[in-house]
Amino acid sequence: MRTPTTLLTLVTSAGVVAALTVPATAAPPPDSPSAKAPTRTGPPPVGHELPKVPVMTGGGGAVASVDPVASQVGIDILERGGNAADAAVATAAAVAAVEPYSSGIGGGGFFVHYSAKTGKVETIDGRETAPATFTENVFQNPDGSAMDFMTVVNSGLSVGVPGTPATWERALERYGTMSLNQALKPAEKIARNGFVVDQTFYQDTLDNQERFSMFPATAEIYLPGGAPVPVGKVQRNPDLAKAYRELRTHGAASLYTGRMGEALVDEVRNPTTAPGVTVPKGQLTEADLAAYEAPFKAPTRSEHKGFDVYGMDTPSSGGIAVSEILNLLESFEKRTGRSVKDLSEAEYLHWFSEASAMAFADRNRYVGDVPGVPTAELTSQAYADERSCLFDPERALKRPVPFGSPDGSYAGGCTPAGTSALPHEGQSTTSLTVADKWGDVVTYTLTIEQYGGSGIVVPGWGYLLNNELTDFNFTPTTPGVPDPNLPGPGKRPRSSMSPTIVLQDGTPYLTAGSPGGSTIITTVAQIVAGVIDRGLPVGEAVAAPRLSSRNGTEEAEAAVFSGAIGDELRAKGHVLRLRPVIGNGTAIRTFSTDLFTAAAEPTKRRGGGSAMVVDPQ
Ligand code: GLU
């Protein structure tokens, strides 16, 4: 977004000039936490007076992320001639500086890119990886029961080899015009100068206070003086600035074969804890780091109403499940002779819920980082047409819905193959989307697993380590049914992250992604169906009340749960549970190479996100 002042001055061949410095001016109410806080001294924070705008239309390129400081970083890059990949990496690094509990150097993610030059969608698999020593029962007690989940979360044992630095470097090398040195400079500045703490960040810190205080290096940054930095005050992280500088000057190699890696391995294998605290040690070695790769992979692909839907293949289940949900909606149309766009909201959510439950049954049974995942079958319309035989337009199926048989033979029989139980899944993560004026688009979802990851900051380097390995199932979910998501050596835990690009006639139409653990799949599918099947403008599709049905109790935001829609769904047999917020989506609708609508969350979800375009209309 062009603003009267350049808010974050960025890297160009001319180098960095100065950042906008805006002191916090609003006086806090006398009994607020910030009123009692000591003033922290240091350089002024970066760009926090930027407005949070959920929808913006215009030309020149677009960015949608969870945070205006981060979106502005991407916009500045686009404005100075950088492309979508440059802006996506720089925005991701900036998000990791202003929302460090959701993603960062110590985590992983999936980068999905469309190149206007080649007309191709490609993905980078930057998922965290298990140590070579991992076994199927690594998260089990000696009697075979699952270890206590939170004990594993707050430990070295849940830390996988981070994939994010390798992803940034590979993305820039393959698609970008900037170096890692240039792209990480704004994030380094944010980490050093700090950002002004808002209510969401304050609450996240408070929620993590107990576990952060287990690790002195974490407490030193996020609990200075023993308490969270209050709302309106500045959170700085000079150690994180040092880490960005190290990556800028030594490349991702510093993490995989250099001194950042040495520090990481030391910490994971022997976490530095507060007096009296012990946590399980991790197994990562320097050899595991050196062996890490963030490979380019073909995306999943399916057709939906004349559009091509591209997503992330394994180890994510996102691409497969989003496609299956959309395919099932189409199958339900064929079976009922009705169109999704003509349904009432409650009817639509019934259809959506049934499709999601079926897709999750299949995902839990068949998808993981294992050979032979039937991706092509699960994303085929023929399979969905067979699978939809269970659908009843008047009545919710009993949960759990059985999984199907994606065996390539879809003669019309209705042969559910069995059921498997639901695995435990948490949520946090962040997702951003970028489009440039050359027609490239990126959607990038990145994470350290739960808010605050493992809770462990690598001493001296300021970044939180992931707890991504808790995305493995600790024990087989259902006796006698193969579980594709058990731990294994060098294996990547199954993800739900669903960065999705929809093309029309080979050019970008809609780009979307969201955090939210396993609700990511339903949120992204709801955004895509909102635009394509329901005909909503992208901003409305992102803002629409959400329902997340994952083959168990269904979760619904208040607008669905509490009103007439909830009553209609319950009357059909749906069992709903209230969940105040589901997902935190970002999306861009591309109309041409010079007209975009960027969309992020309205304030009702985690304080809202930030949509920007270079030249607003
Ligand atoms: N670890 C989750 C996954 O990969 C993402 C974290 C989240 O959004 O909760 O699916």
Side-chain angles (χ1 to χ4, degrees):
M1 173 175 62
R2 279 195 215 282
T3 46
T5 341
T6 298
L7 296 164
L8 290 165
T9 346
L10 295 190
V11 199
T12 59
S13 46
V16 165
V17 196
L20 175 76
T21 56
V22 189
T25 47
D31 59 347
S32 78
S34 56
K36 297 180 212 119
T39 305
R40 304 186 82 207
T41 53
V46 176
H48 68 281
E49 280 198 345
L50 286 163
K52 271 190 174 176
V53 180
V55 182
M56 197 180 282
T57 296
V63 180
S65 84
V66 293
D67 187 276
V69 172
S71 292
Q72 185 68 50
V73 164
I75 288 291
D76 286 353
I77 292 211
L78 294 175
E79 198 168 1
R80 286 166 163 76
N83 67 18
D86 300 327
V89 171
T91 303
V95 170
V98 294
E99 215 195 59
Y101 303 156
S102 299
S103 65
I105 293 168
F110 301 116
F111 190 99
V112 180
H113 180 271
Y114 167 81
S115 160
K117 203 150 92 195
T118 64
K120 279 203 178 130
V121 177
E122 280 183 353
T123 76
I124 302 176
D125 170 7
R127 186 66 163 167
E128 298 91 331
T129 300
T133 50
F134 255 35
T135 57
E136 207 166 276
N137 56 7
V138 67
F139 296 131
Q140 294 173 15
N141 297 308
D143 67 357
S145 60
M147 286 174 72
D148 173 62
F149 188 76
M150 285 312 291
T151 302
V152 180
V153 167
N154 302 313
S155 82
L157 200 56
S158 63
V159 181
V161 178
T164 293
T167 304
W168 291 348
E169 201 163 70
R170 294 212 94 183
L172 290 173
E173 278 167 13
R174 181 136 170 152
Y175 312 116
T177 67
M178 295 171 75
S179 64
L180 193 65
N181 185 351
Q182 291 173 306
L184 301 192
K185 208 160 187 173
E188 181 186 330
K189 180 160 208 142
I190 296 166
R192 180 172 301 109
N193 288 24
F195 60 91
V196 175
V197 170
D198 64 9
Q199 185 58 40
T200 305
F201 185 80
Y202 175 76
Q203 189 60 48
D204 287 346
T205 313
L206 209 55
D207 293 344
N208 279 296
Q209 185 161 3
E210 200 178 319
R211 65 197 202 97
F212 282 1
S213 56
M214 293 162 67
F215 304 103
T218 311
E220 194 183 321
I221 298 167
Y222 296 118
L223 302 169
V229 177
V231 176
K233 299 291 181 189
V234 181
Q235 173 75 62
R236 297 194 180 87
N237 190 344
D239 287 349
L240 180 60
K242 182 180 114 186
Y244 278 130
R245 176 163 286 258
E246 174 81 5
L247 291 174
R248 288 179 49 220
T249 50
H250 293 85
S254 179
L255 193 123
Y256 297 103
T257 53
R259 62 184 188 142
M260 282 180 79
E262 283 167 30
L264 184 155
V265 168
D266 285 351
E267 191 57 21
V268 168
R269 296 183 71 86
N270 206 359
T272 316
T273 51
V277 175
T278 52
V279 300
K281 294 176 192 293
Q283 300 180 5
L284 277 186
T285 63
E286 288 179 24
D288 290 322
L289 290 185
Y292 185 81
E293 277 180 32
F296 295 105
K297 285 186 172 170
T300 59
R301 180 182 164 277
S302 60
E303 284 173 28
H304 185 59
K305 303 202 165 167
F307 295 87
D308 293 299
V309 180
Y310 293 89
M312 193 66 217
D313 204 347
T314 56
S316 188
S317 57
I320 292 172
V322 168
S323 282
E324 190 177 341
I325 292 170
L326 297 171
N327 288 342
L328 282 164
L329 289 178
E330 233 174 293
S331 305
F332 298 170
E333 287 185 328
K334 289 184 210 161
R335 279 183 188 272
T336 59
R338 300 187 67 197
S339 163
V340 170
K341 83 171 161 357
D342 297 331
L343 302 175
S344 71
E345 190 65 12
E347 284 173 324
Y348 163 59
L349 289 176
H350 168 64
W351 287 35
F352 183 77
S353 173
E354 299 301 275
S356 305
M358 291 179 201
F360 266 85
D362 290 340
R363 170 244 194 216
N364 294 343
R365 166 62 185 85
Y366 295 111
V367 184
D369 186 16
V370 289
V373 174
T375 300
E377 299 302 332
L378 290 169
T379 56
S380 72
Q381 190 61 50
Y383 175 63
D385 289 349
E386 178 181 85
R387 186 95 175 90
S388 66
C389 63
L390 297 174
F391 178 63
D392 180 345
E394 300 309 324
R395 206 66 215 150
L397 291 165
K398 190 169 163 332
R399 283 14 175 201
V401 172
F403 49 81
S405 303
D407 54 9
S409 138
Y410 309 120
C414 196
T415 50
T419 48
S420 54
L422 302 181
H424 179 293
E425 308 197 34
Q427 71 161 321
S428 75
T429 310
T430 193
S431 198
L432 57 99
T433 55
V434 181
D436 70 26
K437 61 185 175 191
W438 296 281
D440 291 1
V441 297
V442 172
T443 170
Y444 182 23
T445 309
L446 59 162
T447 183
I448 52 174
E449 198 345 62
Q450 70 183 64
Y451 286 120
S454 63
I456 303 173
V457 161
V458 180
W461 295 100
Y463 67 89
L464 282 156
L465 290 165
N466 70 82
N467 66 300
E468 212 69 51
L469 303 184
T470 60
D471 272 0
F472 285 120
N473 297 338
F474 287 16
T475 53
T477 50
T478 310
V481 178
D483 185 338
N485 192 36
L486 293 171
K491 194 171 169 182
R492 299 182 178 204
R494 178 175 62 208
S495 170
S496 299
M497 294 191 282
S498 310
T500 302
I501 294 177
V502 179
L503 303 184
Q504 185 183 42
D505 300 328
T507 57
Y509 186 87
L510 178 68
T511 310
S514 176
S518 51
T519 70
I520 293 172
I521 289 167
T522 54
T523 294
V524 172
Q526 227 179 318
I527 293 171
V528 175
V531 172
I532 291 181
D533 296 79
R534 300 286 280 169
L536 297 177
V538 66
E540 286 179 35
V542 171
R546 294 195 180 125
L547 174 78
S548 186
S549 157
R550 306 188 303 284
N551 207 18
T553 303
E554 298 159 55
E555 295 177 314
E557 291 185 333
V560 172
F561 182 87
S562 306
I565 297 173
D567 291 342
E568 269 189 66
L569 287 168
R570 280 182 282 266
K572 283 189 192 300
H574 291 272
V575 180
L576 304 182
R577 179 167 57 211
L578 179 65
R579 180 157 168 168
V581 172
I582 297 175
N584 194 356
T586 62
I588 294 175
R589 170 79 171 83
T590 300
F591 297 95
S592 72
T593 48
D594 201 32
L595 187 61
F596 312 92
T597 295
E601 295 290 358
T603 49
K604 66 184 177 187
R605 295 196 181 104
R606 283 183 64 79
S610 166
M612 292 189 187
V613 295
V614 173
D615 291 311
Q617 263 186 356

